[in-house]
Amino acid sequence: MFSKVAMGSVKNSSMIRKMFEEGEKLSKLYGEENVFDFSIGNPYKEPPMAVKNRIKELVDEPGIHRYMPNAGFPDVREKIASHVSKTLDFDLSFKNIIMSSGAAGGLNVVFKSLLNEGEEVITFAPYFVEYGFYAKNHGGILKVIDTTDNDFMPDKNKLKEALTDKTKIVLINSPNNPSGALYTRETLRGLAEVLEEFEKATGNKVFLVSDEPYAEIVYDGHEVPNILGIYKNSIIVTSFSKSLGLAGQRIGYVAVNPNIEDADLLMDIMTFSTRTLGFVSASALWQKAVGDCIDELVDIEDYKEKRDILCNHLSSLGFKVRKPEGTFYLFPKSPLEDDNEFVKLALKHNILVVPGSGFGVPGYFRVSYCVPTEKVNKSLKAWESLAKEVFSILNK
Ligand SMILES: Cc1ncc(COP(=O)(O)O)c(C=O)c1O
């Protein structure tokens, strides 16, 4: 009766939702204050005051609630272009920017604009599970390369082996959800070299799409390398969901490398895709607000404090966890081979986490620490009792 593809996808896509429902159940049983929900990547902090104040003023601005060009307000695109140019030390104009409904909307616009039926999108696991659905939306096929044996860094040799005449996009996400790993410049340069050699040998252009909604959530002086300066056929997709805590407002943008052959045509196609996917444009109010508050940022130090508390605590308890350079996730190895079993065991201690299988790598689990610090501190005892139980099972 309904779409078979959509019905199949719904069946297989409810891992995080399931954890959310478990959390609700536990909260009712034990009280919300005694449940430690580390399952959802929903920024809990309020957006900066400047953003809130600006949006209040904008509501009353004459004409603000009307349609505008599908790619977004030219003045906002100009502000974003000049911000990106400054941050990345790379010249962009408003013609290279298109406003989007978050990073998710941006990725769908890019995929619709690049993919032909049956073409492949290569990504690296662990990865954001929606990628598979986005590729499918536009006739694409997601191909996944594992990185767990390489400290979560993509391996250029594995990319070389995976390329076929159907490859159209290599999709990267750094800092990465869920590993928190920041891909190094050397790693990205390696990927670019492989793609350049591939184009030389076959004539096939492969686009490197960099999904960067966590680009500003990086610690210890790290910076996200500028992919536009590393590879010609590159596109950045990003949003203000995390950097300004605006996940519910659906605002982001796509930055297209001006050196792509026929970049202007690609912009026309992406503008058309924005229109015909039904976004029409990104939200008018929020375009203006982010354009005016482009230098604002949520409190990164607060996230860093939580990363350090949890990472140190889990390590001291015997969990194997890599200290992430960015995002608000930890991705420890599951002490039990079956990550789903481990997640079930964690529930017994009122801790909610997501199994690594949900990100294409069984044997790990994701801890999302965008929760209040008091909650993190209160959870430490629960982690201790969980560790005691799981490691005693292993020592039997
Ligand atoms: C890796 C990754 N890409 C894209 C998105 C979607 O971001 P947005 O809410 O800006 O659409 C998310 C959201 O969590 C994400 O983790």
Side-chain angles (χ1 to χ4, degrees):
M1 178 172 56
F2 305 124
S3 151
K4 285 192 188 106
V5 174
M7 280 200 294
S9 299
V10 165
K11 251 193 184 159
N12 296 323
S13 74
S14 54
M15 192 92 76
I16 293 181
R17 184 85 225 158
K18 225 168 86 187
M19 295 312 301
F20 180 75
E21 283 160 12
E22 287 292 342
E24 297 273 285
K25 250 197 265 169
L26 287 177
S27 293
K28 275 197 192 123
L29 277 175
Y30 302 108
E32 204 250 317
E33 70 283 5
N34 297 313
V35 175
F36 309 109
D37 188 348
F38 294 107
S39 65
I40 296 189
N42 197 357
Y44 79 100
K45 294 201 87 172
E46 288 296 294
M49 217 45 217
V51 177
K52 287 189 167 189
N53 289 338
R54 188 68 192 120
I55 201 82
K56 283 180 201 154
E57 292 164 0
L58 285 165
V59 168
D60 287 329
E61 216 156 86
I64 187 82
H65 303 286
R66 307 177 66 207
Y67 288 124
M68 95 286 305
N70 300 112
F73 289 114
D75 65 313
V76 173
R77 292 165 65 203
E78 191 58 64
K79 282 178 193 165
I80 302 237
S82 105
H83 174 81
V84 181
S85 303
K86 203 165 65 189
T87 322
L88 300 184
D89 193 19
F90 189 89
D91 266 353
L92 288 179
S93 89
F94 83 99
K95 286 200 287 179
N96 312 122
I97 303 290
I98 186 158
M99 302 307 292
S100 67
S101 288
L107 285 168
N108 274 280
V109 165
V110 170
F111 284 10
K112 182 176 172 64
S113 307
L114 294 180
L115 289 171
N116 294 299
E117 193 68 34
E119 287 182 335
E120 293 166 354
V121 177
I122 296 181
T123 199
F124 300 92
Y127 69 99
F128 184 50
V129 71
E130 306 298 77
Y131 289 165
F133 302 116
Y134 298 165
K136 211 175 198 176
N137 282 346
H138 308 291
I141 297 160
L142 192 74
K143 256 174 102 169
V144 180
I145 299 177
D146 184 49
T147 64
T148 49
D149 58 352
N150 196 36
D151 207 23
F152 298 126
M153 292 291 140
D155 177 343
K156 64 176 182 181
N157 295 318
K158 287 192 183 166
L159 174 62
K160 203 175 192 169
E161 282 164 25
L163 291 169
T164 71
D165 60 356
K166 290 268 180 224
T167 310
K168 178 56 76 67
I169 295 172
V170 172
L171 174 62
I172 55 173
N173 167 227
S174 162
N176 179 270
N177 173 14
S179 72
L182 179 67
Y183 296 173
T184 61
R185 178 174 294 279
E186 192 193 350
T187 301
L188 298 175
R189 192 58 236 149
L191 302 183
E193 272 163 23
V194 166
L195 298 182
E196 282 158 6
E197 280 165 19
F198 183 71
E199 182 175 350
K200 230 186 245 166
T202 64
N204 291 351
K205 240 191 247 323
V206 177
F207 293 88
L208 190 53
V209 176
S210 186
D211 177 28
E212 302 184 359
Y214 302 93
E216 264 108 354
I217 320 282
V218 282
Y219 314 116
D220 311 318
H222 285 292
E223 275 178 22
V224 177
N226 169 22
I227 198 70
L228 301 180
I230 293 176
Y231 182 62
K232 180 176 139 185
N233 296 317
S234 56
I235 297 173
I236 293 176
V237 179
T238 191
S239 74
F240 300 91
S241 300
K242 325 285 169 175
S243 62
L244 294 182
L246 293 176
Q249 301 301 348
R250 315 307 309 134
I251 184 74
Y253 64 88
V254 179
V256 171
N257 195 322
N259 299 319
I260 292 176
E261 199 182 319
D262 293 326
D264 288 347
L265 173 60
L266 178 57
M267 287 304 291
D268 286 348
I269 298 172
M270 292 202 334
T271 305
F272 172 82
S273 298
T274 298
R275 196 181 101 204
T276 54
L277 279 172
F279 296 120
V280 181
S281 69
S283 151
L285 274 176
W286 288 101
Q287 282 189 49
K288 288 283 185 184
V290 297
D292 291 341
C293 301
I294 193 85
D295 292 320
E296 295 289 331
L297 188 59
V298 290
D299 185 359
I300 301 298
E301 284 306 307
D302 178 68
Y303 281 136
K304 179 180 178 304
E305 186 190 5
K306 291 187 244 280
R307 176 200 65 170
D308 292 342
I309 296 172
L310 272 176
C311 202
N312 293 340
H313 190 61
L314 266 67
S315 299
S316 76
L317 292 173
F319 288 98
K320 288 204 175 71
V321 52
R322 177 189 186 280
K323 195 172 194 173
E325 292 88 357
T327 72
F328 33 63
Y329 307 114
L330 297 180
F331 201 55
K333 201 147 180 38
S334 164
L336 302 180
E337 206 177 312
D338 184 339
D339 49 332
N340 288 298
E341 280 304 311
F342 174 76
V343 167
K344 270 193 216 150
L345 193 69
L347 274 176
K348 268 177 58 187
H349 298 264
N350 288 356
I351 293 177
L352 282 90
V353 289
V354 183
S357 326
F359 303 93
V361 285
Y364 290 79
F365 64 99
R366 189 189 77 173
V367 182
S368 169
Y369 55 84
C370 42
V371 295
T373 309
E374 310 87 73
K375 196 73 157 177
V376 170
N377 285 326
K378 209 167 167 213
S379 77
L380 300 183
K381 280 219 152 55
W383 284 108
E384 275 165 39
S385 63
L386 169 61
K388 211 165 159 188
E389 184 172 2
V390 74
F391 291 120
S392 74
I393 294 173
L394 288 174
N395 290 331
K396 260 184 200 157

